[in-house]
Amino acid sequence: MLLRNIFLKNLRDRRKALFWWSFGLVLYSLFMCAFYPTIQKSAVELEAYMENMPEAIVAAFGGADNNIASPEGYLNVEYFSMMLPLMFIIYAIGFGSGAIAGEEEAGTLDLLLANPIPRWRVLLEKFLAMVGGMAILSFMTWLGLAVGIYAYDMDIGLGQLAAATFSSALLSFSFGVIALAISCLTGKRGMSMGITTALVAGTYLLYVLAQVAEPLEKYQKLSPFYWYMTANPLANGLKLGDMTFFIGTIGIFLIIALFAFQRRDLAV
Amino acid sequence: MSAVICTEGLTKYYGKTLGVADLNLEVKKGEVFGYLGPNGAGKTTTIRTLLDFIHPTRGRATIFGLDTHRDGVKIKKQVGYLPGELELYKNIKGGEFLRHFAYLRGGVDWKYVQELAERLDFDMSKPIRSLSSGNKHKAGLIQALMHKPELLILDEPTVGLDPLMQQEFYRIANEAKKQGQTLFISSHILPEVERICDRVGFIRRGKLIKVEEVLDLKEHAFRQIEIHFANPVSKEEFENLSVVKDVRVEDSVLRFTVAGPLDAVVKTAAKFEVINIISHEPNLEDIFLTYYGGDENAAS
């Protein structure tokens, strides 16, 4: 029964959205693979084209070490460097900013908290629901890609594929937890969404500009995108060192969210 | 008798706006306490502080002798709450909502929930989205009652109920009292409070003005009364009655304010041919002004 606790109820609330997101991600992932043979044929021209690009643009697509003719390089440039994290981030921020503030703005939070459940527990269950939602989307993406690489004969290990998808999810989830923390601090969903989106744009820009502007280079490690882009798990697998930044971010902002929510006066 | 709710100098400011100030309130076990005041007086602020949704600026509150902030979870096991502005999850059915809350509480007897639903004529199979405000209110009441809590905190429980359901609510409140449950009911309607409560606390502009037994209140309860006679009457006849004030006569219509028992008035009026008697319930502001001189510092 999906109403047994807050965790399941929150996933249940999003089951239709989850279904369509999953559907979309599986299809999109498949399509990405389906275009690979075409790209591969025109590899030489594309390489030349990429070489003439400004450094910042190349960086934005995942760096110069990506050979777009190779399956890993192709997926990195076309999917993992931009489109996939973008979709994941949209989902994560929506979930994170709405988890608490959504109920608060809808006016249902008072009634929920009149139950003998501590606030931190409510927050943790909602946090776990976010984890669950992201896990489902990640799995679906991986599934779509796995079928794709099999169908279009791309030579990538399923493990690497999982590592890259997981890495995308981790990046996006970090922003989701930041959104959650801001919504716990303010009780305002829109504000939380706005600030976090600005943070995504800002840190992305910081990473890209740091590739070409020397003075910014020492700050690039502040950008989650630096850690995400430099790991290249599709080629190398995912190492713990690549994840530390994200695990740290998630941990810190979850603690902020817990403290903020525990102490704040709830809006009517 | 031990206090179920006790506040000590409870004060809440929202920034610079006053919610409640220096509230000293005691609700005894087994009583029905009416918390009466106009809208915006601080009733909901008090209630939301008791439930630890907001934190006092100064002072503190205890329920069952436990601190509302520190032991909130323990307290809530034995509290049923109906918010003033009730909002329910719109994407599930009424029964699913109740089921969800029964799970979250744990230990709820589902048969009792069904029984309550039957009594209140609440259809659990309908999506909440499609419910009228009266029906939503029923769902809110059921969730407040379903675990048979020792204390019920009900914020304006009859607002939005049709007269029939109001009667049903009064019956339920009465039964709860008989079973030894304590009720804390906020309201801005005096007759309602007179009808179901044992004691009343008057709150105005964030301050508790007076706490009074309903029986005493009724004794000097005043009403505006209008008597229509067949023929013009003279003012003097009524002015001499001790319970009557502000007598005005227009032709055959007599208007006055009466505080206390009506007996003398009725007997005097009976000397003439009476066509109609109209009684107006006083509004709260009038009560405050008449009895407490509107003195905000006259806390009991």
Side-chain angles (χ1 to χ4, degrees):
Chain A
M1 180 105 175
L2 287 170
L3 295 163
R4 199 165 281 276
N5 53 46
I6 298 169
F7 165 71
L8 289 173
K9 160 85 166 48
N10 274 261
L11 282 177
R12 181 196 186 279
D13 287 345
R14 288 171 167 82
R15 67 195 193 281
K16 279 185 194 140
L18 267 173
F19 174 80
W20 289 112
W21 270 90
S22 299
F23 184 73
L25 281 167
V26 168
L27 271 190
Y28 197 90
S29 302
L30 262 172
F31 273 126
M32 279 329 307
C33 299
F35 279 110
Y36 174 63
T38 325
I39 297 287
Q40 202 184 19
K41 271 181 219 144
S42 43
V44 182
E45 294 101 87
L46 274 170
E47 276 298 309
Y49 180 64
M50 289 290 277
E51 255 163 45
N52 290 326
M53 291 264 204
E55 260 180 274
I57 304 282
V58 175
F61 282 109
D65 51 345
N66 278 314
N67 172 7
I68 197 165
S70 74
E72 297 95 2
Y74 167 74
L75 279 184
N76 268 338
V77 169
E78 291 294 334
Y79 203 25
F80 286 105
S81 67
M82 178 74 112
M83 199 54 198
L84 184 63
L86 188 66
M87 289 192 289
F88 276 177
I89 284 172
I90 290 171
Y91 184 81
I93 291 182
F95 206 144
S97 56
I100 294 291
E103 283 215 31
E104 197 166 350
E105 286 177 359
T108 54
L109 193 58
D110 269 21
L111 210 53
L112 178 62
L113 287 173
N115 287 299
I117 305 170
R119 289 190 192 185
W120 59 262
R121 168 91 188 264
V122 171
L123 183 59
L124 278 187
E125 288 200 35
K126 284 177 179 275
F127 171 82
L128 287 177
M130 277 174 75
V131 174
M134 282 305 295
I136 291 169
L137 294 194
S138 304
F139 175 75
M140 290 301 172
T141 304
W142 174 82
L143 194 67
L145 287 169
V147 173
I149 60 165
Y150 177 76
Y152 298 98
D153 207 19
M154 298 163 80
D155 186 22
I156 306 176
L158 289 179
Q160 261 107 303
L161 216 48
T165 311
F166 179 70
S167 169
S168 259
L170 208 55
L171 166 79
S172 315
F173 191 67
S174 306
F175 285 111
V177 178
I178 291 173
L180 179 69
I182 296 172
S183 82
C184 281
L185 282 162
T186 61
K188 297 193 173 76
R189 173 160 51 174
M191 185 195 273
S192 157
M193 242 183 224
I195 293 175
T196 316
T197 306
L199 201 63
V200 172
T203 52
Y204 183 73
L205 211 60
L206 171 66
Y207 161 71
V208 172
L209 291 180
Q211 304 297 308
V212 284
E214 195 94 22
L216 283 175
E217 213 179 295
K218 53 182 176 291
Y219 300 114
Q220 67 178 356
K221 289 188 174 174
L222 289 173
S223 171
F225 290 96
Y226 166 82
W227 298 96
Y228 173 68
M229 296 287 211
T230 48
N232 194 5
L234 208 51
N236 311 325
L238 200 60
K239 290 177 278 299
L240 187 64
D242 301 328
M243 297 188 285
T244 328
F245 179 86
F246 299 110
I247 294 169
T249 306
I250 291 167
I252 289 167
F253 281 94
L254 178 60
I255 289 169
I256 291 174
L258 282 166
F259 271 97
F261 187 47
Q262 196 72 23
R263 281 155 192 237
R264 190 167 55 81
D265 280 358
L266 304 180
V268 185
Chain B
M1 252 204 284
S2 58
V4 171
I5 299 175
C6 182
T7 71
E8 293 161 25
L10 193 72
T11 303
K12 177 68 190 176
Y13 278 91
Y14 301 102
K16 281 186 175 168
T17 315
L18 177 68
V20 291
D22 282 319
L23 193 70
N24 293 306
L25 193 70
E26 208 178 276
V27 177
K28 295 178 213 139
K29 188 168 166 44
E31 79 173 333
V32 181
F33 190 92
Y35 199 42
L36 190 69
N39 292 327
K43 301 188 297 278
T44 298
T45 298
T46 309
I47 287 174
R48 296 186 82 237
T49 312
L50 291 175
L51 286 152
D52 195 34
F53 300 151
I54 51 178
H55 306 157
T57 312
R58 274 196 311 276
R60 63 181 220 128
T62 58
I63 294 180
F64 313 128
L66 300 167
D67 188 273
T68 49
H69 180 53
R70 251 198 345 264
D71 302 309
V73 175
K74 217 168 159 187
I75 291 169
K76 284 170 192 170
K77 282 190 179 137
Q78 283 304 332
V79 172
Y81 166 60
L82 178 70
E85 280 179 35
L86 178 69
E87 291 292 342
L88 306 172
Y89 298 122
K90 294 190 174 62
N91 58 349
I92 51 180
K93 297 187 179 101
E96 289 175 326
F97 160 71
L98 292 172
R99 182 80 72 178
H100 181 48
F101 268 43
Y103 277 128
L104 294 186
R105 281 208 167 270
V108 171
D109 175 11
W110 189 249
K111 276 206 192 92
Y112 184 60
V113 177
Q114 287 170 318
E115 199 184 305
L116 286 169
E118 215 158 286
R119 273 195 70 174
L120 286 165
D121 193 22
F122 177 67
D123 184 354
M124 295 213 263
S125 66
K126 277 194 183 148
I128 288 176
R129 191 185 302 286
S130 73
L131 295 181
S132 66
S133 67
N135 275 318
K136 274 185 206 154
H137 213 85
K138 292 177 193 172
L141 262 177
I142 296 170
Q143 68 78 33
L145 293 162
M146 66 182 172
H147 52 295
K148 299 181 180 165
E150 283 175 35
L151 170 66
L152 281 160
I153 297 180
L154 311 173
D155 195 358
E156 306 262 7
T158 55
V159 170
L161 289 184
D162 60 55
L164 240 99
M165 288 327 298
Q166 275 181 23
Q167 298 305 320
E168 189 58 39
F169 169 75
Y170 296 146
R171 267 196 291 279
I172 286 174
N174 242 320
E175 272 168 41
K177 179 184 155 64
K178 273 190 201 128
Q179 283 159 11
Q181 287 167 297
T182 307
L183 284 86
F184 185 86
I185 297 174
S186 85
S187 175
H188 63 273
I189 306 159
L190 181 69
E192 170 174 299
V193 167
E194 280 184 335
R195 174 174 185 153
I196 54 176
C197 297
D198 302 314
R199 284 200 307 152
V200 185
F202 292 92
I203 181 169
R204 183 167 178 259
R205 293 188 193 155
K207 287 178 181 162
L208 188 67
I209 295 172
K210 195 170 176 78
V211 178
E212 198 163 17
E213 301 277 336
V214 165
L215 288 176
D216 296 341
L217 190 72
K218 277 184 179 157
E219 228 160 71
H220 59 236
F222 71 89
R223 271 146 296 181
Q224 270 117 32
I225 288 182
E226 227 177 278
I227 304 182
H228 296 239
F229 294 97
N231 303 298
V233 289
S234 77
K235 203 169 157 178
E236 287 71 36
E237 195 94 35
F238 292 89
E239 261 181 340
N240 297 330
L241 302 171
S242 64
V243 290
V244 166
K245 278 196 298 191
D246 308 329
V247 181
R248 278 162 297 142
V249 172
E250 276 169 43
D251 279 351
S252 58
V253 178
L254 175 77
R255 292 193 178 86
F256 56 91
T257 305
V258 60
L262 264 179
D263 187 65
V265 181
V266 172
K267 283 182 177 146
T268 310
K271 294 179 199 163
F272 309 95
E273 190 183 342
V274 177
I275 292 175
N276 196 5
I277 300 181
I278 301 165
S279 164
H280 300 282
E281 289 299 342
N283 69 37
L284 282 181
E285 278 301 310
D286 288 343
I287 295 179
F288 287 135
L289 288 172
T290 308
Y291 280 91
Y292 314 114
D295 182 1
E296 283 136 41
N297 298 317
S300 65

